């Protein structure tokens, strides 16, 4: 069930910050996606490839975002339609996206995922690795990748000062590369999107506040 009250208030907040919403529909039924689509929501985020493929087949006209950890051998299946891959977290994944883009003659839009949290479990490049990649003529090396910006996840904690500091560090990296083409800073989810917006997020990824708690993910 979609929480319409939360959806409306999130949309209002985002418009104050000129930020966009990816509605994170992972584990949720297609009916929920269809009801949000009826309200004008067009961007949806998934983090399991098989689930994404099933949903995309049913709703091919939506903008599908891949927000999770993507295995290289799965790139091929989403490459024809994916709107934005948020989680580029290794050079080998980047190479594979470029390769699949070349096969399709399609430039695939991507964000570099940066590790900003204190936790061991979160994927991502270090800011140094991202700088290395971006300073070595990125477009020439990866002509079928359209690098749109950065994505990061803050530590899952009640310590809002820490979360703020982590988001701020990502925003500083983003500002170094920000341009007409590099204009997406994907940060903030249900628990921390307000801080993310204050710290300059342009795209939040919100699931449970809109679709309700997930039983599992
Ligand atoms: C699940 C997920 C979200 C959304 O989480 P909520 O807490 O439900 O808003 C955002 N980003 C990523 C990468 C996720 O995997």
């Amino acid at each position: 069930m979609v929480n319409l009250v939360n959806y409306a208030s999130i949309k209002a907040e985002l418009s104050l910050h000129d930020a966009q919403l990816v509605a994170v529909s992972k584990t949720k039924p297609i009916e929920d996606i269809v009801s949000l689509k009826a309200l004008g929501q067009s961007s949806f985020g998934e983090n399991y490839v098989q689930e994404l493929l099933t949903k995309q087949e049913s709703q091919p006209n939506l903008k599908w975002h891949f927000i999770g950890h993507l295995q290289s051998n799965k790139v091929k299946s989403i490459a024809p339609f994916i709107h934005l891959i948020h989680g580029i977290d290794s050079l080998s994944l980047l190479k594979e996206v470029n390769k699949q883009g070349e096969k399709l003659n399609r430039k695939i839009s991507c964000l570099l995922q940066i590790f900003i949290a204190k936790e061991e479990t979160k994927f991502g490049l270090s800011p140094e690795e991202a700088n290395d990649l971006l300073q070595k003529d990125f477009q020439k090396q990866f002509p079928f990748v359209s690098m749109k910006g950065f994505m990061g996840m803050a530590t899952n904690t009640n310590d809002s000062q820490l979360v703020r500091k982590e988001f701020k560090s990502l925003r500083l990296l983003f500002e170094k590369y920000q341009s007409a083409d590099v204009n997406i800073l994907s940060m903030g989810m249900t628990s921390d999107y307000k801080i993310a917006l204050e710290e300059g997020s342009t795209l939040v990824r919100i699931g449970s506040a809109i679709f309700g708690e997930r039983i599992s993910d």
Side-chain angles (χ1 to χ4, degrees):
M1 273 275 283
V2 175
N3 187 325
L4 298 177
V5 173
N6 281 358
Y7 178 70
S9 77
I10 288 166
K11 288 292 286 181
E13 251 180 302
L14 291 177
S15 78
L16 290 176
H17 290 268
D18 214 5
Q20 307 291 312
L21 171 67
V22 174
V24 177
S25 46
K26 62 187 180 195
T27 79
K28 298 297 179 182
I30 197 77
E31 292 74 25
D32 287 359
I33 293 170
V34 170
S35 33
L36 216 52
K37 179 189 175 187
L39 299 177
Q41 179 65 31
S42 58
S43 287
F44 291 85
E46 293 283 337
N47 66 349
Y48 304 100
V49 169
Q50 195 48 56
E51 185 181 349
L52 169 59
L53 293 175
T54 308
K55 287 174 171 172
Q56 191 269 341
E57 205 170 299
S58 152
Q59 291 292 324
N61 297 325
L62 294 174
K63 293 175 180 157
W64 291 102
H65 294 239
F66 195 83
I67 62 169
H69 175 61
L70 181 57
Q71 289 172 292
S72 289
N73 62 359
K74 303 276 175 68
V75 172
K76 187 180 174 159
S77 59
I78 66 170
F81 67 83
I82 199 73
H83 181 72
L84 182 65
I85 298 175
H86 290 232
I88 300 294
D89 57 7
S90 70
L91 179 59
S92 57
L93 180 58
L94 190 57
K95 285 180 174 162
E96 179 62 18
V97 171
N98 188 65
K99 181 175 148 193
Q100 297 302 333
E102 182 169 17
K103 280 193 193 168
L104 299 163
N105 194 26
R106 173 173 197 251
K107 247 180 123 121
I108 299 174
S109 294
C110 293
L111 304 177
L112 299 185
Q113 182 171 356
I114 309 298
F115 180 85
I116 54 171
K118 285 237 177 307
E119 292 150 46
E120 291 287 315
T121 51
K122 288 186 177 153
F123 293 98
L125 303 164
S126 69
E128 294 73 30
E129 288 171 314
N131 281 321
D132 273 356
L133 270 176
L134 293 169
Q135 283 160 11
K136 279 192 216 126
D137 213 351
F138 189 94
Q139 269 321 303
K140 232 185 213 146
Q141 275 198 77
F142 308 105
F144 292 92
V145 171
S146 180
M147 209 302 276
K148 296 283 188 197
F150 300 91
M151 179 269 216
M153 293 169 83
T155 303
N156 184 9
T157 172
N158 290 327
D159 180 352
S160 60
Q161 285 307 104
L162 177 62
V163 170
R164 187 177 296 282
K165 198 173 126 210
E166 291 170 351
F167 283 150
K168 197 182 296 265
S169 73
L170 188 55
R171 190 235 302 158
L172 290 174
L173 180 69
F174 172 61
E175 284 175 347
K176 232 171 113 173
Y177 295 98
Q178 196 172 6
S179 71
D181 294 325
V182 180
N183 55 14
I184 300 177
L185 180 56
S186 167
M187 57 185 199
M189 36 208 269
T190 294
S191 62
D192 56 19
Y193 76 90
K194 287 173 198 267
I195 301 174
L197 289 172
E198 287 166 8
E199 293 305 328
S201 172
T202 72
L203 185 65
V204 297
R205 310 172 311 271
I206 297 182
S208 36
I210 295 172
F211 294 107
E213 294 292 327
R214 288 175 299 276
I215 294 163
S216 68
D217 52 313

